[in-house]
């Protein structure tokens, strides 16, 4: 908490806030991956954590994320969190210069999130401070969480106003023209690819017509099963 990790002219992120941001980043990543892939992978007989390459019971510092560079999952989340917080500070500084602040509704949103944490703490049998520690790490307190939430919320508020301003000032024709010129920047898809192979059984020269028909039918059935699984 005593250390300044990152800052702009008017905003500061200390070590405890950074710890909160990194743990929140990790939890968000895991939740999104589990919600997206867990059901599919389970149905195919895969473990979600094996698929992701992360074991939640092992320190992130001991798990390699990039085999080429040797970077760990801790390095990955530290780097992505740093990039996120840099963006927060840029937006918050711009918001201050533009006279944009959090209003009562914004602050009430933060307090509601903290109140929900107190409810969950009681439900799971934690003290409030103990629950915060279990989620966001040793040394993180309610004030750190509040300060971090307010900073990221202000950044989001400014970014949304900038987006709305650009969108409101652009004509439909300008939007369509920009899209046509930059289509590849907007089109993307998430996908999983599986390579499945099958070999047709050899048909003996002296096989009967019934035996040949059965082999062909078995092969056709296998192909249908593979295609159905892919869909």
């Amino acid at each position: 908490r005593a250390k300044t990790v990152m800052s702009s002219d008017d905003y500061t992120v200390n070590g405890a806030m950074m710890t909160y941001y990194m743990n929140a980043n990790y939890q968000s990543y895991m939740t999104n991956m589990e919600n997206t892939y867990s059901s599919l992978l389970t149905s195919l007989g895969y473990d979600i954590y094996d698929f992701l390459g992360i074991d939640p019971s092992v320190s992130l510092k001991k798990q390699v994320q990039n085999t080429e560079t040797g970077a760990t999952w801790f390095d990955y989340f530290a780097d992505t969190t740093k990039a996120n917080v840099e963006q927060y500070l840029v937006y918050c500084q711009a918001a201050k210069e533009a006279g944009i602040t959090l209003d009562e509704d914004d602050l009430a949103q933060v307090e509601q999130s903290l109140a929900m944490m107190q409810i969950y703490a009681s439900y799971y049998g934690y003290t409030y401070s103990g629950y915060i520690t279990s989620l966001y790490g040793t040394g993180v307190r309610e004030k750190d969480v509040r300060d971090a939430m307010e900073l990221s919320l202000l950044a989001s508020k400014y970014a949304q106003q900038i987006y709305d301003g650009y969108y409101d000032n652009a004509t439909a024709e300008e939007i369509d023209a920009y899209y046509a010129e930059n289509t590849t920047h907007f089109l993307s898809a998430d996908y999983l690819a599986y390579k499945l192979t099958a070999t047709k059984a050899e048909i003996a020269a002296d096989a009967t017509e019934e035996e040949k028909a059965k082999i062909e039918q078995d092969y056709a059935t296998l192909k249908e099963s593979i295609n159905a699984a892919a869909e």
Side-chain angles (χ1 to χ4, degrees), residues 6 8 18 29 34 36 112 154 172-173 177 187 192 200 207 229:
M6 300 177 70
S8 63
M18 198 69 171
Y29 176 88
E34 289 169 357
T36 302
Q112 184 178 32
L154 178 59
E173 291 75 16
L187 299 181
L192 290 173
K200 185 189 295 185

Side-chain angles (χ1 to χ4, degrees), residues 51-68:
F51 172 75
L52 295 177
I54 301 179
D55 185 342
S57 66
V58 177
S59 169
L60 295 176
K61 294 181 179 180
K62 297 180 179 179
Q63 302 184 68
V64 175
Q65 186 266 339
N66 189 318
T67 55
E68 293 184 1

Side-chain angles (χ1 to χ4, degrees), residues 38-83:
S38 185
S39 295
L40 172 62
L41 292 172
T42 299
S43 68
L44 295 173
Y46 290 92
D47 180 82
I48 178 67
Y49 300 121
D50 287 341
F51 172 75
L52 295 177
I54 301 179
D55 185 342
S57 66
V58 177
S59 169
L60 295 176
K61 294 181 179 180
K62 297 180 179 179
Q63 302 184 68
V64 175
Q65 186 266 339
N66 189 318
T67 55
E68 293 184 1
T69 64
T72 65
W73 277 104
F74 181 91
D75 298 325
Y76 170 82
F77 287 112
D79 289 342
T80 53
T81 301
K82 178 176 179 290

